Amino acid sequence: MGTNGSTMLKPLRQGLPPLDPAAVSDAASCALPTRYEAVREARRFTRCTLDKWDAGDRFDDICLVVSELVTNALRHGLPLPHHHPCNEALRAAPSDAADVGCAEDQPVRLHLMRWTERLVCAVRDPSHETPAPRDSDDFSAESGRGLFLVDSFADSWGWHPLAGTLNGKVVWALFRLRPTD
């Protein structure tokens, strides 16, 4: 499901905060199915990756932000279900299926990149819509606080439209890490 190495960095260079992509020390990527169960898969992938990378006291913050970014990509970054080319496969797929065989090569993708003292999580989706926090005074609402949480737990976040062969956008969150002794 995931890949290691720097092969996935080239298409994301446009959407990263100002860091040298060539100086990345670790990277991992994971294609996600277009089902809400993908949020659980993204958390599992992130936990396994961060266990190897020793993210220290930022571990829980990073996992929470990944959950929010993936949820937003699935909720707001995909075409309406009746327009989605994998609609029949999504309805027929069992919830534990790893891949429904979509011809669009899993339109949502999670990337984790670690530099010595920084980590970036980036989620790619096919939408061109600008991610914007909702203005709401209803603190009891069950949705609408995802980007507020991202802003609260990440050191910075942003987004960038993709160009070239990739369509859509990448939304990223940056975390400063304590240097390892």
Side-chain angles (χ1 to χ4, degrees):
M1 171 164 77
T3 58
N4 288 312
S6 62
T7 57
M8 82 292 282
L9 291 177
K10 188 175 180 185
L12 284 179
R13 287 184 183 155
Q14 301 165 314
L16 289 176
L19 294 169
D20 180 9
V24 70
S25 58
D26 290 300
S29 178
C30 161
L32 297 168
T34 53
R35 296 185 309 273
Y36 285 118
E37 290 86 1
V39 177
R40 181 177 59 231
E41 290 182 38
R43 279 193 304 263
R44 185 191 59 73
F45 177 79
T46 301
R47 284 186 186 117
C48 290
T49 302
L50 295 180
D51 279 342
K52 296 174 194 168
W53 293 355
D54 187 24
D57 62 347
R58 301 306 304 267
F59 185 92
D60 291 328
D61 295 348
I62 295 166
C63 290
L64 172 70
V65 166
V66 163
S67 293
E68 294 301 329
L69 293 179
V70 170
T71 298
N72 284 350
L74 293 170
R75 183 171 288 162
H76 305 292
L78 296 175
L80 295 173
H82 63 278
H83 293 124
H84 197 281
C86 297
N87 189 33
E88 295 306 314
L90 287 171
R91 255 198 303 262
S95 62
D96 61 344
D99 184 1
V100 295
C102 177
E104 292 210 310
D105 295 324
Q106 308 287 19
V108 175
R109 190 162 190 90
L110 167 64
H111 301 269
L112 301 171
M113 294 151 282
R114 186 180 196 281
W115 286 259
T116 304
E117 295 180 13
R118 297 180 188 172
L119 185 136
V120 170
C121 6
V123 177
R124 185 182 81 199
D125 69 53
S127 172
H128 293 284
E129 295 297 316
T130 301
R134 286 189 190 168
D135 289 329
S136 175
D137 294 331
D138 184 4
F139 295 107
S140 64
E142 291 187 27
S143 65
R145 293 187 299 263
L147 290 177
F148 173 77
L149 291 172
V150 170
D151 189 55
S152 297
F153 286 90
D155 291 303
S156 63
W157 73 275
W159 74 280
H160 197 280
L162 295 172
T165 60
L166 292 176
N167 197 20
K169 70 178 176 296
V170 62
V171 182
W172 55 263
L174 180 138
F175 296 86
R176 296 188 200 302
L177 304 174
R178 291 188 181 156
T180 54
D181 296 328

